[in-house]
Amino acid sequence: MSVLKKAMGAAVLAGAAMLTTAGTAGAATGPAGTPTAADTAAIGQVTGGQATLDRLTTTKFPGAHAAAAPAANADPSTQVAVYEPTAAFVAGTSDVPAALAYVAVPARTGDGTTATVWAERQGAAWTVVNVASGDYEKKYAEAAAGGYLLHEPQVNAWYAVHGDAVTVLAGSVTGLAEGTTLSVRDYRAALHERYADKLPGSAYDRDGAGGGYGGRERAVPVADPGDVPVLPFVLGGVLVLVAGGVVMPRLRRR
């Protein structure tokens, strides 16, 4: 084989390798922490257990209107995995768009109010960490139509993710109308623009802006998902205060 043919062959192989690598890097990556069958069983036990039912029985949300209903109950057969973007994804150091935040189980309190039980993985176990009013997670999961549910708690925006497509379910504060679809790459660019200066190691982080940082907090959905919350949140361990209109946060009992 001539030197020219060898060089051409090497160039073709190199080009093919570059295309393969680029295709892999641009491919959509699923979220981290997806519950396994064992997790689902454990979540069912803890959310359907007597301790959770007792908690639902005594939970009362201020301003809630009682409805005629049977005893407090949860529906562990319906489990909604809620994912949130990670600091590594925002920073561009990971292609994994999100990690599991909590699993939501629809429920009713003792006075018949619609509620949602939040279960979090803590170590090897699952624990009920919150009882919130409403059933937003269930409704958004239905709207996601098979995609995984992504929540951006910093601005209370919700998305459905199908492969490389990120579709807005609710997120007026971001300036994107419901039904708008972005690629995962474009969504990361939007996140980077919003939060890059608030990541760990930033001046924001070092100064402890927004009330400090370190502990884990999460802004919960507001009563009207179209409203803009003014609530603290943690992005990779950094507490951030989001500016916006003053609204009443979604009622919850921890």
Side-chain angles (χ1 to χ4, degrees):
M1 182 182 293
S2 69
V3 174
L4 179 58
K5 286 184 177 180
K6 287 183 178 180
M8 290 178 65
V12 170
L13 291 174
M18 289 175 64
L19 288 172
T20 301
T21 303
T24 302
T29 303
T34 300
T36 64
D39 289 328
T40 299
I43 293 166
Q45 288 184 338
V46 71
T47 58
Q50 191 60 49
T52 300
L53 294 179
D54 290 344
R55 182 171 176 176
L56 287 167
T57 298
T58 58
T59 294
K60 293 186 182 300
F61 299 112
H65 299 290
N73 64 84
D75 178 18
S77 64
T78 301
Q79 298 184 14
V80 178
V82 178
Y83 299 89
E84 295 175 359
T86 66
F89 179 69
V90 176
T93 58
S94 172
D95 286 332
V96 179
L100 183 71
Y102 62 97
V103 174
V105 170
R108 286 194 178 276
T109 63
D111 62 6
T113 302
T114 300
T116 299
V117 174
W118 293 4
E120 280 187 3
R121 185 191 285 117
Q122 296 184 349
W126 284 88
T127 303
V128 171
V129 297
N130 188 34
V131 175
S133 62
D135 57 355
Y136 300 103
E137 291 87 350
K138 178 183 176 183
K139 290 178 179 177
Y140 286 133
E142 291 171 350
Y148 70 82
L149 189 61
L150 180 63
H151 182 215
E152 191 182 330
Q154 300 86 347
V155 292
N156 194 35
W158 293 83
Y159 308 85
V161 185
H162 297 80
D164 188 48
V166 181
T167 302
V168 179
L169 299 177
S172 60
V173 70
T174 66
L176 297 175
E178 179 181 334
T180 301
T181 297
L182 307 171
S183 68
V184 169
R185 183 187 300 252
D186 288 342
Y187 178 60
R188 171 153 61 186
L191 288 177
H192 191 270
E193 182 176 351
R194 284 197 283 274
Y195 312 122
D197 61 344
K198 300 173 180 66
L199 293 172
S202 65
Y204 192 104
D205 180 355
R206 293 191 299 273
D207 293 344
Y213 58 91
R216 182 166 187 217
E217 299 291 339
R218 180 184 297 116
V220 297
V222 292
D224 180 354
D227 288 335
V228 183
V230 183
L231 293 169
F233 69 94
V234 163
L235 182 64
V238 182
L239 187 64
V240 181
L241 189 64
V242 177
V246 178
V247 298
M248 180 65 70
R250 178 180 179 186
L251 301 171
R252 56 178 173 171
R253 290 284 299 275
R254 292 200 76 87

